Amino acid sequence: MSDEKNVEQQCADFREMFEAIRGEVSRVIVGHEDIVDSVLISLFSGGHVLLEGVPGLGKTLLVRTLGSALSLEFRRIQFTPDLMPADIAGTNLVVEDVASGRREFQFQKGPIFGQIILADEINRATPKTQSAMLEAMQEHSVTSGGQVRRLPEPFMVLATQNPIEQEGTYPLPEAQLDRFFFKLLVTYSNREQLKAVLDRTTTGQEPKAQSVADAAKILWAQKLVRRVVVAEHVQDYAIRLVLATHPQGEFATGMTNQFVRFGASPRGVQALVLAAKVRAVLNERYHVSFDDVVRSVLPSLRHRLLLNFEGQAEGIQTDDVLTDVLKNTPRTVEEKLSA
């Protein structure tokens, strides 16, 4: 088989697996197709997801269902104000050997030692506890007692968050927010979707997702995604979009200069390009287009911008700034010159 045919077959296998997982999740989750697709894009990009929405919208159910559709070790951590870092990462305990009577320290693994981690209501824990997630999310490891312990691969954190205006919530530190690949806003269901929810949940039906992919397939897909080609001018467009979020920078827009305190980090452009690569394969292409990049901007960057006091006072949302960035950033240098 030629290299071209081999690539086409691998991309077809990827799309088939993507559709299979999506189908199993849809058996349980009603609507929210964009949210489901974005979660799967993050999975195949090797990133983490922050799901924000008011209680009762199915965020936790979505994560649980994804865990059922994948043959991966699923762990849930319920974040509360009294949760401690050791409750997440684990701790050294004194264990006595019955035979010898000797005592020694033994590391007791915490729930972070899984593959699909549900961090439920993550912003109800204190910033000290939230910081316990930093190393795990970035390095895929946990350091305790001077020893580094690797987490199993693939490793993905899906965190749910209540809007910060609600009582009993703590804003996530910027360093932790930046480690999320996507931030997705979960909204209310419409009339038809609510009817389907009632039909499924109040009539004795209990649809469940079946496992359709394992760790080896997920790791294979993550490697395939990174081989997707990005042309120089498309990559430069993604770079300029991120630079346009930096106030007083060369590519900054009017809204950026007026309302943004800090712009997106290099992790932002990495997420932007990786997400665009997944979208390209899903659209039966082995190269990234401008539209792939555009569709990935909001979920990739909305949580990486920090508004200044004026922006907060005016009620500006980071999505508003990013929409302005998309509107005022030309796709090519030639387009800017001709304008």
Side-chain angles (χ1 to χ4, degrees), residues 89-150:
T91 187
N92 287 307
L93 301 177
V94 177
V95 178
E96 182 175 354
D97 188 316
V98 178
S100 64
R102 298 179 58 185
R103 294 181 179 182
E104 60 181 11
F105 282 107
Q106 187 177 56
F107 182 73
Q108 184 70 34
K109 292 183 178 180
I112 197 66
F113 285 85
Q115 293 174 297
I116 298 292
I117 308 298
L118 167 57
D120 208 7
E121 296 188 299
I122 190 171
N123 62 331
R124 291 202 180 279
T126 62
K128 176 183 179 180
T129 300
Q130 292 167 1
S131 67
M133 302 289 291
L134 291 177
E135 180 187 0
M137 293 175 66
Q138 181 64 30
E139 308 295 338
H140 291 199
S141 64
V142 169
T143 301
S144 178
Q147 183 175 352
V148 179
R149 295 174 172 85
R150 299 295 303 174

Side-chain angles (χ1 to χ4, degrees), residues 12 34 47 55 72 75 86 115 121 133-134 136 146 169 200 203 206 222 228 258 264 266 270 301 316 319 328 330:
D34 289 343
L72 303 178
R75 299 285 185 88
Q115 293 174 297
E121 296 188 299
M133 302 289 291
L134 291 177
T169 60
R200 293 188 186 185
T203 60
E206 294 186 6
Q222 290 176 352
V228 175
Q258 184 175 0
Q270 290 173 336
L301 303 181
I316 299 298
D319 281 16
N328 292 285

Side-chain angles (χ1 to χ4, degrees), residues 143-171:
T143 301
S144 178
Q147 183 175 352
V148 179
R149 295 174 172 85
R150 299 295 303 174
L151 298 174
E153 298 289 352
F155 174 77
M156 182 184 192
V157 173
L158 294 112
T160 68
Q161 170 176 279
N162 301 122
I164 60 174
E165 292 80 8
Q166 294 198 344
E167 294 185 10
T169 60
Y170 300 85

Side-chain angles (χ1 to χ4, degrees), residues 198-213:
L198 289 175
D199 291 341
R200 293 188 186 185
T201 59
T202 63
T203 60
Q205 298 183 35
E206 294 186 6
K208 295 183 179 180
Q210 302 299 317
S211 177
V212 293

Side-chain angles (χ1 to χ4, degrees), residues 272-308:
L272 191 56
V273 170
L274 280 174
K277 288 186 174 187
V278 178
R279 293 187 189 279
V281 178
L282 294 176
N283 285 285
E284 301 184 20
R285 285 181 283 100
Y286 203 62
H287 65 277
V288 174
S289 71
F290 287 117
D291 288 338
D292 295 327
V293 174
V294 170
R295 292 182 61 193
S296 304
V297 166
L298 293 182
S300 296
L301 303 181
R302 61 164 54 107
H303 53 298
R304 306 180 197 274
L305 272 61
L306 184 63
L307 299 177
N308 58 24

